[in-house]
Amino acid sequence: MASPSSGSPARAVLWDMDGTLLDSTNYHWLAWRATLSNDTILRSHFGRAIPLAEIDRISATKEERYRALVRERGIALLPGVERWLKRLHAEGWRQAIASAAPRANVDTILAIVDGAACFQAIVSAEDVQRGKPDPQVFLLAADRLSVPPRRCVVVEDAPPGIDAAHRGGMRAIGVRTSHPTLEADIAVGTLDDLPDDAFEELLP
């Protein structure tokens, strides 16, 4: 893949996080299990209407436990991710995380993994009002990178994210981490399987 010249229009890659950059499903499960099994208030209200403030408290407790697990046990990027992050960065592509996760979760991940310096912008749950397949998260990420949507490639692992990318006028690469079929422009099992010219082919 050739590096863009100084006069070429900017190009960007917008990364979903969980299931695309890394897989922390097990940590989420462990955090929920610890939160719910220890929450006597929730158990006493099981089957009844739970106040919104209580739901928010339980969710916050779960996310705190998730972050503690990540810090204590560490987490690795999925196959091919680090290589592509650093390659794209070296070749002048702008990169952002566009995730539905809370910002504190994103920051915890970035403090641990290699390649964090490759990102110039982050969009997280607190920044958006509409979830995927609405393209808001990707459009905001593109705006923060000062790159038009048509010059962006989204990397995603879930159908709603692929749909959001296309609705936003962007190209999409699908990683089949958890879904066997993705209606992406290119779909692979892991980013190690991605052809060397994949990004260049999508956005010459």
Side-chain angles (χ1 to χ4, degrees):
M1 197 189 308
S3 299
S5 68
S6 59
S8 299
R11 299 179 294 184
V13 181
L14 313 180
W15 297 84
D16 172 58
M17 190 171 74
D18 217 342
T20 303
L21 289 173
L22 48 90
D23 184 0
S24 62
T25 304
N26 189 51
Y27 287 169
H28 282 292
W29 183 83
L30 290 172
W32 271 123
R33 185 180 68 175
T35 301
L36 297 181
S37 63
N38 292 332
D39 200 308
T40 56
I41 295 177
L42 177 66
R43 291 168 67 182
S44 70
H45 285 80
F46 189 77
R48 305 178 190 176
I50 303 176
L52 182 58
E54 181 66 5
I55 294 173
D56 289 343
R57 185 191 67 79
I58 293 165
S59 296
T61 300
K62 176 264 172 181
E63 297 299 345
E64 288 169 5
R65 287 185 168 131
Y66 165 82
R67 292 190 288 273
L69 285 168
V70 171
R71 287 190 293 266
E72 291 164 8
R73 303 187 185 185
I75 197 162
L77 295 172
L78 287 169
V81 169
E82 183 180 353
R83 177 173 66 87
W84 276 109
L85 285 176
K86 292 181 177 179
R87 178 176 176 177
L88 292 164
H89 180 69
E91 293 175 356
W93 291 70
R94 300 176 190 177
Q95 298 184 82
I97 290 177
S99 174
R103 178 60 185 258
N105 290 13
V106 178
D107 289 343
T108 298
I109 295 291
L110 292 181
I112 293 172
V113 301
D114 290 329
C118 296
F119 299 107
Q120 291 82 49
I122 296 169
V123 178
S124 58
E126 295 87 346
D127 298 315
V128 297
Q129 294 76 47
R130 301 181 298 279
K132 304 167 189 175
D134 189 286
Q136 184 183 24
V137 66
F138 295 133
L139 293 173
L140 181 55
D143 182 66
R144 288 183 175 178
L145 292 175
S146 299
V147 177
R150 62 183 176 80
R151 299 292 291 168
C152 294
V153 178
V154 169
V155 188
E156 256 283 356
D157 74 306
I162 299 296
D163 191 15
H166 288 154
R167 289 188 186 189
M170 304 174 186
R171 310 302 294 274
I173 292 174
V175 185
R176 295 189 293 264
T177 309
S178 53
H179 298 273
T181 303
L182 294 171
E183 298 297 325
D185 298 287
I186 300 173
V188 291
T190 76
L191 288 175
D192 266 342
D193 303 325
L194 197 63
D196 285 345
D197 61 351
F199 287 92
E200 188 71 30
E201 285 295 312
L202 291 176
L203 289 181

